[in-house]
């Protein structure tokens, strides 16, 4: 039986494989690119750039703005999300930022769907997108959104802080006063609680807790400046 090499596969299969490599590991993609000219050509296509998850990119290697611009041009969901968050929360360009986050969410990017759902709740009291998650899934994605490894700075603009104050003054008391809440000391704070009443928590209390964690821990990425690669 004749031996089949990667380059003997149909071009569509080759492209699919390289795109999967790009999605999972930038390091593996670089190794693949270095093997030959054919691999380098396969790794430099719109399908590959749209597959990147930029939260996995080793930013110390440089070329940040060039990569972000190329990914944005092909509609990469993680790039749309990064730009949407900065536009909405840092620059307060709400219409543009929300539209970019929604594009990323509609493309199935889970970080975007989580942040979009939280944003809709905070700014418009819209809980429709909460139905997109189970409790287990939202806990995992929420942790990723709040605890990413890139340098972050708190959101400090007046609009966000006003929404945070309104939530804490109106929604948080509902959590404290709910019969499903555990016995609380006077100085006990909601926000450090992650799992202590997850199993029997009412749905309303679960989402109050999740939105509260989002408000406490949500950060903007210091590494990115959307206007530099628009």
């Amino acid at each position: 039986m004749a031996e089949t090499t990667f380059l003997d596969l149909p071009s569509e299969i080759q492209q699919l494989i390289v795109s999967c490599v790009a999605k999972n590991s930038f390091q593996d993609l670089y190794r693949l690119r270095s093997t030959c000219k054919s691999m380098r050509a396969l790794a430099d296509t719109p399908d590959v750039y749209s597959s990147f998850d930029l939260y996995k990119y080793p930013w110390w290697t440089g070329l940040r703005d060039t990569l972000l611009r190329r990914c944005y041009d092909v509609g990469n969901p993680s790039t749309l999300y990064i730009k949407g968050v900065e536009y909405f929360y840092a620059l307060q360009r709400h219409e543009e930022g929300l539209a970019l986050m929604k594009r990323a969410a509609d493309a199935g990017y889970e970080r975007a769907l989580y942040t979009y759902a939280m944003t809709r709740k905070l700014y418009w009291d819209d809980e429709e997108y909460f139905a997109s998650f189970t409790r287990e899934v939202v806990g995992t994605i929420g942790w990723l959104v709040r605890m990413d490894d890139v340098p972050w700075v708190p959101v400090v603009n007046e609009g966000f802080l006003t929404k945070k104050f309104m939530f804490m003054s109106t929604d948080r008391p509902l959590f404290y006063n709910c019969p499903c809440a555990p016995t609380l000391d006077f100085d006990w704070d909601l926000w450090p609680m992650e799992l202590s009443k997850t199993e029997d928590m009412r749905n309303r209390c679960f989402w109050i807790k999740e939105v509260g964690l989002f408000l406490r821990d949500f950060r903007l990425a210091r590494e990115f400046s959307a206007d530099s690669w628009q």
Side-chain angles (χ1 to χ4, degrees):
M1 182 177 179
E3 182 176 315
T4 301
T5 68
F6 178 82
L7 293 176
D8 293 326
L9 297 172
S11 58
E12 296 83 0
I13 302 299
Q14 293 180 28
Q15 190 63 69
L16 179 61
I17 293 173
V18 175
S19 296
C20 288
V21 172
K23 183 177 181 179
N24 293 315
S25 171
F26 278 94
Q27 288 84 352
D28 288 344
L29 181 67
Y30 289 149
R31 295 186 188 103
L32 187 65
R33 283 170 55 93
S34 67
T35 57
C36 65
K37 291 182 178 180
S38 296
M39 290 298 100
R40 183 163 186 169
L42 283 170
D44 193 33
T45 64
D47 284 345
V48 168
Y49 281 94
S50 65
S51 299
F52 290 152
D53 184 346
L54 291 171
Y55 283 89
K56 299 178 181 179
Y57 182 73
W59 293 109
W60 60 86
T61 60
L63 300 178
R64 180 189 64 194
D65 290 347
T66 300
L67 177 63
L68 287 168
R69 190 178 298 110
R70 180 73 182 271
C71 289
Y72 179 76
D73 288 343
V74 298
N76 175 285
S78 63
T79 318
L80 297 176
Y81 169 63
I82 290 168
K83 193 167 189 176
V85 166
E86 183 169 15
Y87 272 25
F88 192 97
Y89 284 101
L91 304 179
Q92 300 191 70
R93 293 163 61 173
H94 290 168
E95 184 175 351
E96 295 169 90
L98 195 70
L100 288 168
M101 281 191 277
K102 188 176 188 304
R103 283 179 60 191
D106 289 345
Y109 193 61
E110 290 183 332
R111 295 172 194 261
L113 184 56
Y114 175 88
T115 304
Y116 185 74
M118 294 297 159
T119 302
R120 296 289 310 184
K121 166 62 178 175
L122 285 171
Y123 283 78
W124 294 279
D125 200 27
D126 178 3
E127 300 181 358
E128 175 185 355
Y129 290 87
F130 288 171
S132 304
F133 305 98
T134 64
R135 291 190 180 191
E136 294 77 12
V137 168
V138 77
T140 301
I141 299 172
W143 179 261
L144 286 175
V145 169
R146 300 191 304 269
M147 301 298 174
D148 281 307
D149 291 333
V150 295
W152 296 93
V153 293
V155 182
V156 295
N157 70 69
E158 183 176 349
F160 180 80
L161 295 178
T162 298
K163 294 295 182 182
K164 182 175 182 177
F165 173 79
M166 290 176 60
F167 178 86
M168 294 178 68
S169 62
T170 59
D171 289 56
R172 188 165 70 162
L174 299 175
F175 181 94
Y176 281 112
N177 296 326
C178 180
C180 78
T183 302
L184 306 175
D185 295 329
F186 180 78
D187 60 352
W188 187 87
D189 191 355
L190 164 67
W191 313 132
M193 190 195 76
E194 295 279 358
L195 300 173
S196 63
K197 66 170 193 169
T198 298
E199 293 184 359
D200 61 350
M201 195 185 306
R202 292 183 179 182
N203 197 53
R204 182 184 67 180
C205 287
F206 174 84
W207 285 107
I208 289 175
K209 182 209 75 169
E210 195 63 37
V211 175
L213 291 170
F214 177 80
L215 284 167
R216 182 193 71 179
D217 294 328
F218 188 57
R219 301 289 188 269
L220 295 171
R222 191 198 309 270
E223 287 290 329
F224 306 114
S225 176
D227 283 333
S228 68
W229 45 275
Q230 63 181 346

